[in-house]
Amino acid sequence: MQLDIKNSYAHDLPELSKECLPFGFQKSEILIKNYELAEELGFSKDFLDSEKCLNIFSGNGLFENSTPISQAYSGHQFGQFNPNLGDGRAILLGEIENLDIQLKGIGQTPFSRRGDGKSALSPVLREYIVSEFMHSAGIPSTRSLLALKTNETVIRETEQSGGILARVAKSHIRIGTFEFAAMQGIGILKKLADYSIRRHYPDLENTNEKYLQFFAEVCKSQTKLVSKWMNIGFVHGVMNTDNVTISGETIDYGPCAFMDNYDPKTVFSSIDVAGRYCYANQPAILVWNLSKLAETLIPLIDDEEQKSIEKLTEVLQQIMPSYEKYYYSAMGKKLGIDPISQNNINLVKSYLQILESNSIDFTLSFRDLAKVFNKTKNIEDSVFANLDDFKRWHEDWKTQIISENTNLKNITRKMDLTNPCYIPRNHIIENVLENAVNGDMSLANEILDLYKDPFSENDNNEFFKNPSKKNVPYVTYCGT
Ligand code: AMP
Ligand code: MG
């Protein structure tokens, strides 16, 4: 099989990466293979099942023509600037079909600082499952091609099995990459901006003010992305600028999780004690992060610094209004009220208020609402049982739906197509991972299958649908 692997990043931006050979993990084993994604990339099933594939993805071999690199980047972590981050445990093998093929957890690189360059198996599987779920749910995300178990243990809080994730991304260029390039001078910054435009926003190549337009496009992609997170109840957990892509894909699933009952203050990460990256703060952090990107672009926008700042600020000021537009119109669709009007925005807000004050499960609520509407469930059997505030809201909502639609038949079907029935709930993922690290992959495979279509409800899968009965706050750890 002849693969057309390119190394455009290594070739065009040598100042922003270091060539780096993988360490090589002997006796590794591929635990999950994404045959569908492999096919999109041009990998045959035979290749995926071959010794050569295992060798390459465990760092013991290379694709022909591959120039493996680790990428340099900086980043604002919890608000503090760190100039020297970079791929401390990841190697980019090259690009296929314009997509990055990266190995994460592949051992030390020139950017490892004091780290071991390795990943534990459990977070590798977690990233695999959650990123593939996000993709199926229509949320832009890096994808997962393979998950491997190495024959080594890694020391975290405890000694754990090691793992490697083969990740596929539109690119791994982050806001932090621009922060790093800006420190190297305007020449390199411009090269990175031109490369990013060529790769992600090629329509801008010959436009006026292309760097300003580029900034506006990144703002748009990221704003759409974060609005989708908010619509599905996803908390990323570490929205540092080194974890924010220029392409608008979700990246770096560390301490992320989905909220069960609706609570804007939801935070899962053990290190986020101040709640900087809690659910409700994500849109504000989006703006903060994009303002850091804006700062790096100042020298490219206008000869006069003040004018650059004004132009960039104008774009920044548009983020919140467009976020609200994306967010509320999707929330309206979730409730079957569409298009969005002030009355419908009020219905969304009062609905969320009911969920919050009664600690109702965010995901289940939308599915039950559709069932109440089409009378396949009584209110008293739903998550809204015994809630007078819901009964009042429900009357207003029904009136609105009836006023908007002449045909009421399709409403609930449309609602179900935008409200997932299954999400990677914390207790389920924990269960799956515990089995997997103990050698039983059956639950992991079952759930990966289920998450390929999270909108279709299947009566046999009650366990995967419901929140945990135990009422203990869920905590995720960054030691991934
Ligand atoms: P993350 O929290 O995964 O986004 O990583 C933040 C930074 O720490 C990045 O520069 C990573 O490459 C680096 N890093 C995380 N884990 C390790 C590790 N085990 N060894 C070396 N570097 C790491
Ligand atoms: Mg990261």
Side-chain angles (χ1 to χ4, degrees):
M1 188 185 56
Q2 191 59 44
L3 277 169
D4 189 17
I5 189 146
K6 295 208 164 60
N7 306 279
S8 71
Y9 198 88
H11 183 265
D12 296 359
L13 299 163
E15 304 87 352
L16 299 181
S17 64
K18 290 205 169 112
E19 281 191 32
C20 170
L21 281 176
F23 164 77
F25 288 86
Q26 307 295 320
K27 296 191 189 150
S28 301
E29 178 192 352
I30 303 181
L31 294 184
I32 318 177
K33 300 176 188 176
N34 192 336
Y35 287 104
E36 285 160 37
L37 177 59
E39 199 180 328
E40 287 173 38
L41 293 165
F43 295 128
S44 65
K45 183 173 183 304
D46 282 352
F47 171 73
L48 230 60
D49 294 339
S50 69
E51 195 70 16
K52 184 174 176 192
C53 175
L54 174 63
N55 279 339
I56 291 176
F57 288 100
S58 57
N60 293 299
L62 285 177
F63 288 113
E64 292 88 36
N65 306 327
S66 162
T67 308
I69 54 169
S70 286
Q71 294 173 306
Y73 51 83
S74 309
H76 277 84
Q77 300 184 301
F78 290 90
Q80 298 299 316
F81 186 60
N82 186 338
N84 299 309
L85 293 170
D87 289 334
R89 53 170 169 171
I91 290 187
L92 177 64
L93 297 178
E95 304 120 29
I96 297 178
E97 300 287 334
N98 215 13
L99 296 169
D100 277 6
I101 313 290
Q102 195 207 55
L103 297 179
K104 186 170 167 185
I106 194 65
Q108 283 180 325
T109 76
F111 300 100
S112 292
R113 295 171 287 154
R114 286 186 299 278
D116 60 4
K118 296 175 188 170
S119 289
L121 177 60
S122 176
V124 161
L125 297 173
R126 199 162 189 277
E127 173 158 349
Y128 192 115
I129 294 167
V130 181
S131 66
E132 285 302 302
F133 166 83
M134 293 292 258
H135 174 73
S136 305
I139 302 175
S141 172
T142 59
R143 304 280 313 270
S144 296
L145 180 65
L146 302 169
L148 293 91
K149 178 177 186 290
T150 68
N151 193 31
E152 298 191 13
T153 51
V154 298
I155 314 292
R156 296 293 180 258
E157 287 84 16
T158 53
E159 198 168 331
Q160 301 179 27
S161 301
I164 301 168
L165 180 73
R167 173 159 92 172
V168 176
K170 280 188 175 169
S171 86
H172 286 82
I173 304 171
R174 307 145 191 268
I175 291 181
T177 318
F178 275 80
E179 293 180 294
F180 182 85
M183 290 189 307
Q184 317 303 308
I186 187 166
I188 292 171
L189 176 69
K190 202 173 202 157
K191 265 170 71 174
L192 175 63
D194 286 335
Y195 178 92
S196 304
I197 290 171
R198 222 166 31 247
R199 191 152 170 196
H200 296 300
Y201 304 101
D203 293 349
L204 301 181
E205 266 189 289
N206 298 312
T207 52
N208 284 340
E209 301 206 299
K210 67 172 172 178
Y211 300 117
L212 186 64
Q213 297 294 334
F214 164 68
F215 179 60
E217 286 300 321
V218 177
C219 288
K220 191 164 146 192
S221 317
Q222 273 295 330
T223 306
K224 278 189 184 165
L225 178 68
V226 172
S227 67
K228 282 173 187 274
W229 292 354
M230 299 300 284
N231 293 140
I232 204 167
F234 176 74
V235 183
H236 181 281
V238 246
M239 287 178 74
N240 294 335
T241 58
D242 52 301
N243 292 334
V244 179
T245 57
I246 294 305
S247 65
E249 285 185 333
T250 313
I251 196 171
D252 282 359
Y253 294 84
C256 70
F258 291 79
M259 68 179 171
D260 290 323
N261 59 312
Y262 181 75
D263 177 0
K265 292 186 289 302
T266 302
V267 66
F268 297 105
S269 169
S270 63
I271 55 171
D272 192 4
V273 272
R276 177 181 169 91
Y277 298 140
C278 75
Y279 173 77
N281 264 4
Q282 296 185 122
I285 291 292
L286 163 81
V287 180
W288 194 91
N289 285 340
L290 288 166
S291 76
K292 294 292 145 199
L293 177 62
E295 283 171 20
T296 71
L297 296 175
I298 291 171
L300 302 184
I301 305 294
D302 198 289
D303 294 339
E304 277 180 54
E305 188 177 304
Q306 197 47 40
K307 279 218 177 103
S308 286
I309 293 173
E310 279 166 21
K311 287 178 183 174
L312 289 160
T313 304
E314 212 174 294
V315 179
L316 279 171
Q317 282 168 340
Q318 286 312 307
I319 298 174
M320 263 312 182
S322 55
Y323 165 77
E324 301 241 314
K325 224 173 64 205
Y326 296 135
Y327 171 77
Y328 280 111
S329 70
M331 287 307 287
K333 287 204 175 78
K334 284 170 82 70
L335 292 177
I337 46 177
D338 179 34
I340 205 72
S341 59
Q342 192 51 53
N343 185 40
N344 286 355
I345 289 177
N346 292 341
L347 274 171
V348 170
K349 286 183 176 165
S350 46
Y351 179 78
L352 294 175
Q353 191 58 55
I354 293 167
L355 298 190
E356 186 181 354
S357 48
N358 298 290
S359 298
I360 294 176
D361 186 84
F362 185 67
T363 305
L364 282 185
S365 77
F366 297 99
R367 299 292 295 201
D368 269 13
L369 192 61
K371 290 189 178 108
V372 167
F373 190 80
N374 67 19
K375 301 200 166 60
T376 52
K377 212 176 216 183
N378 297 318
I379 291 184
E380 297 313 326
D381 298 326
S382 76
V383 294
F384 306 108
N386 304 318
L387 298 180
D388 289 339
D389 48 358
F390 174 76
K391 283 181 191 134
R392 281 191 297 274
W393 179 89
H394 181 245
E395 288 309 312
D396 294 344
W397 171 70
K398 260 192 344 201
T399 310
Q400 182 63 22
I401 290 201
I402 291 164
S403 78
E404 282 179 14
N405 297 279
T406 45
N407 180 358
L408 299 180
K409 272 210 179 109
N410 281 332
I411 306 274
T412 55
R413 200 177 55 86
K414 270 167 58 188
M415 284 171 70
D416 284 352
L417 283 176
T418 185
N419 294 317
C421 178
Y422 306 105
I423 55 162
R425 291 189 185 272
N426 306 320
H427 71 288
I428 296 168
I429 295 297
E430 288 305 311
N431 207 324
V432 168
L433 299 182
E434 197 181 318
N435 282 4
V437 295
N438 289 322
D440 178 1
M441 291 298 292
S442 55
L443 208 51
N445 290 325
E446 193 179 341
I447 207 155
L448 279 165
D449 223 33
L450 188 71
Y451 290 159
K452 280 189 184 148
D453 182 8
F455 301 98
S456 293
E457 191 160 351
N458 178 334
D459 288 340
N460 300 328
N461 288 320
E462 281 301 303
F463 168 70
F464 294 120
K465 206 165 79 185
N466 295 318
S468 166
K469 294 202 170 60
K470 286 188 222 144
N471 205 7
V472 280
Y474 185 72
V475 183
T476 56
Y477 297 91
C478 214
T480 53

